[in-house]
Amino acid sequence: METRILGKDLTVSAVGLGCMGFSHAYGAPTSEKEAIRLLRRAFDLGYTFFDTAEIYGTADDPHVNEELVGKALADVKQHVVIATKFGLRFDRDSGKVPLPLVPDSRPETIRRSVEGSLKRLGVDHIDLYFQHRMDPTVEPEEVAGVMADLIKEGKITHWGISEATEDYLRRANGVCPVTAVQNRYSMMARHYESLFPVLEELEIGFVAFSPMANGFLTGKYGKGQQFDPQTDYRAFMPQFTDEAVSENAALLKLLYDMAAEKKATPAQISLAWMLCKKNWIVPIPGTRKEERMAENAGAAGIVLSGDEVNALNEALDHMKMSAVFGGTAFSK
């Protein structure tokens, strides 16, 4: 697979693998044996960028995702970039589904988190360490100061911010240069495009999570789709309702038409659309199916011209769409 550079010097595969779904939010967790097999298969397919977090787990084992990634990539860790995250915990006492999130980026919390992640991943440093969400009680300069210290200590080499805003990003970057932001981005969720000029100015990469609107843009989901509300967050996502399938008919047609023209799939077009916009955008679709991994990797080889990207943008700008899941509620 082709590679891209995040920030000034972090080389990653053009498409990364979001690892969360193996153990969290998309149905019952995958068995350890199968998850490790699939993670290794992703490496064989050309993926060198793997994204996890300390909270991508279950109530019984909240850190399992990092452990899976660490085990699967143990003997190739010198050839991959692993991103993980700090600064969130689940409110498991609320009784709500999806579980509300509680931000915590106090320096002492970050220190505990980085040590735990290093151990679970089985590495001596973290390649890309993301603040999972901004903490309104901790100033960005303070978080960035801790990141600068961790870089000096050799515990991390690069850092980033997930769901970053311009003001927070500029303030943090002024203390310790940010390599990437990781924000929600897809044809159905484009609100962070306003941040693109800032990223170009500061030479910061963009890691796009949920690049296919939690799978909806694959075109594989129709009316009557059922998800387990206890384990699958899609049961509560507005884009998967029967009404949304009708509302998004024009969007799906747009994808299928372009896919036919390019001899590709709708999923590949939804990824190629952002890959061909900027050479510093790296999507991280998640999947637990080997054939989908290969399909997503293939999107890196699909070329859309500037005119084709602009035509898609124009169509999206004037297209009726349903609401789309935009994030998990924060616990007050």
Side-chain angles (χ1 to χ4, degrees):
M1 197 191 307
E2 294 181 0
T3 59
R4 296 195 160 193
I5 296 176
L6 293 173
K8 296 178 175 63
D9 62 1
L10 185 60
T11 301
V12 298
S13 51
V15 177
L17 182 66
C19 300
M20 180 181 76
F22 289 113
S23 53
H24 175 73
Y26 286 90
T30 306
S31 70
E32 178 178 305
K33 181 179 179 181
E34 178 65 0
I36 291 173
R37 184 190 74 82
L38 289 168
L39 285 160
R40 283 308 298 260
R41 180 56 182 152
F43 176 76
D44 293 339
L45 288 167
Y47 289 86
T48 62
F49 184 33
F50 296 83
D51 180 85
T52 182
E54 66 176 349
I55 61 165
Y56 290 165
T58 64
D60 295 331
D61 194 352
H63 305 308
V64 65
N65 201 262
E66 284 186 324
E67 293 169 351
L68 288 173
V69 171
K71 289 178 182 178
L73 303 177
D75 60 344
V76 295
K77 58 190 175 185
Q78 301 303 321
H79 306 288
V80 299
V81 169
I82 298 175
T84 192
K85 307 177 191 76
F86 67 90
L88 277 186
R89 62 178 174 83
F90 286 113
D91 180 356
R92 299 188 182 277
D93 299 323
S94 69
K96 297 179 180 178
V97 177
L99 293 172
L101 299 169
V102 181
D104 183 357
S105 287
R106 292 172 296 170
E108 59 269 29
T109 300
I110 297 173
R111 286 283 178 179
R112 286 196 301 270
S113 290
V114 74
E115 296 300 335
S117 292
L118 286 167
K119 182 177 180 180
R120 288 186 291 270
L121 291 169
V123 296
D124 59 11
H125 71 273
I126 293 168
D127 302 302
L128 181 53
Y129 202 34
F130 280 110
Q131 182 182 17
H132 209 152
R133 292 293 186 272
M134 298 176 290
D135 183 342
T137 68
V138 182
E139 298 297 330
E141 292 86 355
E142 186 172 11
V143 175
V146 178
M147 296 299 106
D149 289 341
L150 293 178
I151 290 172
K152 290 176 185 176
E153 295 164 18
K155 293 184 177 180
I156 70 173
T157 58
H158 304 78
W159 83 290
I161 307 165
S162 187
E163 297 281 37
T165 61
E166 178 179 350
D167 177 67
Y168 193 96
L169 181 61
R170 286 188 182 279
R171 290 171 60 187
N173 188 71
V175 174
C176 183
V178 175
T179 292
V181 300
Q182 184 180 134
N183 291 4
R184 183 179 301 275
Y185 187 50
S186 73
M187 286 182 164
M188 297 184 75
R190 299 170 60 198
H191 44 287
Y192 282 115
E193 287 182 353
S194 61
L195 197 61
F196 286 3
V198 179
L199 300 180
E200 290 194 315
E201 173 195 338
L202 300 178
E203 295 184 77
I204 295 172
F206 188 96
V207 176
F209 75 87
S210 296
M212 290 181 281
N214 307 97
F216 183 83
L217 296 176
T218 63
K220 304 292 185 182
Y221 300 96
K223 293 183 178 180
Q225 189 72 46
Q226 298 293 316
F227 301 101
D228 182 351
Q230 295 302 312
T231 60
D232 199 320
Y233 285 11
R234 288 172 294 184
F236 304 94
M237 294 182 186
Q239 67 266 38
F240 291 102
T241 65
D242 287 355
E243 295 78 12
V245 173
S246 296
E247 287 181 281
N248 294 319
L251 172 59
L252 293 175
K253 183 178 187 302
L254 178 72
L255 282 168
Y256 274 105
D257 287 349
M258 180 63 77
E261 183 179 332
K262 295 291 181 178
K263 295 181 172 58
T265 66
Q268 289 175 327
I269 295 302
S270 69
L271 295 175
W273 165 77
M274 63 178 69
L275 286 165
C276 294
K277 276 192 170 190
K278 304 289 184 182
N279 63 7
W280 38 262
I281 294 178
V282 177
I284 51 167
T287 183
R288 297 191 283 181
K289 296 180 179 179
E290 186 174 329
E291 62 270 26
R292 296 285 84 80
M293 286 182 184
E295 179 183 350
N296 295 341
I302 296 171
V303 178
L304 301 180
S305 69
D307 288 343
E308 287 172 325
V309 171
N310 289 336
L312 288 172
N313 289 340
E314 180 69 15
L316 294 171
D317 286 342
H318 299 92
M319 186 174 289
K320 180 181 178 182
M321 296 183 195
S322 73
V324 64
F325 180 69
T328 305
F330 278 77
S331 179
K332 300 296 185 183

